[in-house]
C-alpha cells in the first residue's frame, strides 16, 4: 500500500509538513481550542476573586453603568472596571495595595475605552 502524503500544518503561514492532518508540534496547543492569556492562572489566582467582583459591581453601580473615560469610539455602556492610575504606575509612586485597589482609584469603562487606555499605558503595543 502506498504511503499517505504529508499534510501541511493548519496554522496559517506555518507550512510545516506533518504525517497526519492537524497541527505541527510547534502549534499543537491550538488544537485544544482557546488558551488562557495568563498561563494556567484563573482570575482568582491573579487577585480578582469574590472581593474584587463585589467591588467591581459597586463601582459599576456608583458610575451608573456609564463609561467614565469616554474616548472617541466610546460605546458609553460600561461593562468593565479600570484602575484610574494603573497598578504599575501606582506601585512605582509608592502606593500600597490598599490604595491601588481602593474604589476611589477605580472607574467604570466600556471595553473599547479600556482596551485603548491599556494600550496607551503600555506604550502603544499590544
Amino acid at each position: 500500500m502506498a504511503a499517505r502524503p504529508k499534510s501541511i500544518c493548519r496554522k496559517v503561514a506555518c507550512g510545516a509538513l506533518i504525517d497526519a492532518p492537524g497541527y505541527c508540534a510547534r502549534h499543537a496547543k491550538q488544537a485544544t481550542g482557546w488558551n488562557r492569556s495568563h498561563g494556567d492562572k484563573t482570575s482568582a489566582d491573579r487577585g480578582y476573586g469574590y472581593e474584587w467582583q463585589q467591588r467591581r459591581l459597586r463601582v459599576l453601580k456608583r458610575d451608573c453603568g456609564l463609561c467614565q473615560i469616554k474616548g472617541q469610539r466610546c460605546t458609553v455602556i460600561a461593562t468593565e472596571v479600570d484602575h484610574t492610575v494603573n497598578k504599575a504606575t501606582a506601585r512605582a509612586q509608592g502606593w500600597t495595595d490598599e490604595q491601588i485597589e481602593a474604589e476611589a482609584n477605580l472607574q467604570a469603562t466600556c471595553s473599547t475605552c479600556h482596551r485603548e487606555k491599556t494600550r496607551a499605558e503600555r506604550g502603544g503595543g499590544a
Side-chain angles (χ1 to χ4, degrees):
M1 184 170 190
R4 181 179 187 159
K6 299 245 181 203
S7 296
I8 298 173
C9 175
R10 289 184 180 160
K11 170 69 176 163
V12 175
C14 175
L17 294 175
I18 52 178
D19 293 326
Y23 293 93
C24 65
R26 187 170 155 207
H27 299 110
K29 283 188 175 182
Q30 293 186 5
T32 62
W34 63 273
N35 295 311
R36 292 181 186 264
S37 61
H38 295 281
D40 288 334
K41 291 185 176 182
T42 65
S43 59
D45 292 339
R46 293 182 288 120
Y48 297 105
Y50 178 77
E51 288 179 22
W52 166 257
Q53 293 301 328
Q54 295 304 306
R55 190 176 308 125
R56 177 186 173 278
L57 291 173
R58 284 193 302 271
V59 170
L60 288 170
K61 186 175 180 179
R62 177 195 71 195
D63 294 343
C64 301
L66 298 175
C67 180
Q68 300 301 301
I69 298 174
K70 297 184 180 116
Q72 291 179 343
R73 293 182 295 213
C74 183
T75 61
V76 181
I77 298 172
T79 57
E80 301 179 9
V81 171
D82 176 51
H83 291 85
T84 307
V85 177
N86 71 49
K87 290 180 175 183
T89 302
R91 286 191 181 108
Q93 293 175 355
W95 290 27
T96 64
D97 285 342
E98 290 78 26
Q99 290 172 316
I100 293 170
E101 297 302 328
E103 289 182 29
N105 186 41
L106 299 174
Q107 62 186 349
T109 180
C110 69
S111 59
T112 304
C113 290
H114 192 190
R115 187 172 37 256
E116 289 176 3
K117 179 177 180 271
T118 301
R119 186 176 294 130
E121 290 170 345
R122 290 181 179 165

